Amino acid sequence: MTKNIILGYGILGQELVKQSGWDYLSRSLNKNFNFKNINSYKEIISSYDTVINCIANTDTYSQNKEEHWNLNYKSVSDLIDICNKNNQKVIHISTDYIYSGSIPNASINDIPIHNQTWYAYTKLLGDAHVQLKADNYLIIRSGHKPKPFTYDKGFEDVIGNFDYVDKIAELIIKLINNNIKGIRNVGTDLKTMHDLALETKSDTIKTKCDNKLMPKDVSMRIEK
């Protein structure tokens, strides 16, 4: 039986652990764990067949270039080197944000173009490095949201295939269990953020997004 370990215990990591029962590694579990220092965890993950990376700097609009660069790219590069050495498969959790500058309903073969954030840019670089260097990998591009919806207002002009974290986690687990490789867009039917909000919070107010850095269209093809 394949042994899997999840790196990170944020919204998605917690849901994956809840649904799968797989082992995980996080700062809350091991205070010495530091994703930016491969030596702090390379021995811990060495006995696993598959490493699922859910760790990223998701401070989406932060202008701290170095923090995004170090966590979303450099640390991913170090992880790939170790997993290649150990003959391990890497599951890399990416984001639908990398499609924010691409064409609507983007496929994995369309050119993803970053929007005006270091988050999207460094996540795209991380994806590219995994594609180029990893011997065995699956890149998952998705958008997962906390359930229930946490805000009073929902954007009617922000569209994508994002969904609540429980639904996205279920799809990711199926891909991992089926040993899928390469790149997959993971999501559900196209919707606005307001549509999603209404599923769990019926009194959510419809509004438009005035944040110029927030991508309005992160739609992607999910047939595959």
Side-chain angles (χ1 to χ4, degrees):
M1 185 175 179
T2 302
K3 289 182 62 179
N4 303 327
I5 187 168
I6 298 166
L7 301 184
Y9 200 60
I11 296 173
L12 180 59
Q14 290 182 45
E15 188 64 32
L16 289 173
V17 171
K18 177 182 176 182
Q19 293 190 28
S20 69
W22 295 332
D23 292 341
Y24 72 96
L25 182 59
S26 69
R27 290 293 295 272
S28 60
L29 190 66
N30 185 330
K31 65 179 181 180
N32 295 319
F33 172 57
N34 180 359
F35 189 55
K36 291 186 286 188
N37 179 5
I38 191 70
N39 292 321
S40 73
Y41 69 94
K42 65 180 182 180
E43 295 301 325
I44 299 174
I45 68 172
S46 63
S47 62
Y48 291 88
D49 303 299
T50 303
V51 180
I52 304 158
N53 176 35
C54 295
I55 296 176
N57 184 333
T58 57
D59 189 358
T60 313
Y61 308 115
S62 168
Q63 295 301 308
N64 190 328
K65 173 184 175 182
E66 293 303 315
E67 280 299 310
H68 284 288
W69 183 268
N70 289 333
L71 203 62
N72 297 343
Y73 178 72
K74 184 178 183 300
S75 298
V76 172
S77 172
D78 293 338
L79 174 63
I80 296 303
D81 289 343
I82 289 297
C83 288
N84 283 345
K85 182 178 179 181
N86 294 338
N87 196 30
Q88 295 167 300
K89 183 177 182 178
V90 175
I91 312 294
H92 180 63
I93 306 299
S94 185
T95 173
D96 54 5
Y97 265 49
I98 68 167
Y99 289 126
S100 59
S102 188
I103 65 172
N105 195 32
S107 78
I108 60 173
N109 296 316
D110 291 316
I111 300 173
I113 304 172
H114 68 86
N115 65 358
Q116 299 177 40
T117 66
W118 287 114
Y119 167 68
Y121 180 56
T122 54
K123 288 296 290 182
L124 178 57
L125 289 177
D127 282 17
H129 188 85
V130 174
Q131 286 181 266
L132 181 66
K133 294 294 186 179
D135 294 332
N136 189 358
Y137 71 88
L138 170 64
I139 295 173
I140 292 174
R141 294 170 174 167
S142 68
H144 56 274
K145 309 301 178 184
K147 185 178 182 180
F149 197 74
T150 56
Y151 303 101
D152 294 328
K153 298 179 180 180
F155 300 130
E156 63 175 340
D157 56 344
V158 173
I159 63 170
N161 303 94
F162 40 70
D163 211 319
Y164 290 114
V165 66
D166 58 334
K167 292 183 180 179
I168 298 298
E170 181 181 357
L171 294 171
I172 290 173
I173 291 169
K174 287 181 179 179
L175 290 171
I176 295 173
N177 285 337
N178 288 326
N179 195 30
I180 302 301
K181 300 179 181 181
I183 304 175
R184 289 294 186 274
N185 294 334
V186 176
T188 55
D189 292 341
L190 191 66
K191 66 187 72 65
T192 69
M193 192 65 70
H194 183 251
D195 291 335
L196 180 66
L198 291 178
E199 293 181 17
T200 58
K201 192 175 180 183
S202 60
D203 60 347
T204 305
I205 301 170
K206 184 186 294 186
T207 188
K208 292 186 180 295
C209 178
D210 59 4
N211 185 338
K212 294 182 179 180
L213 294 180
M214 185 173 186
K216 304 299 190 298
D217 185 348
V218 288
S219 61
M220 52 189 187
R221 295 184 65 179
I222 57 173
E223 294 90 346
K224 194 172 183 179

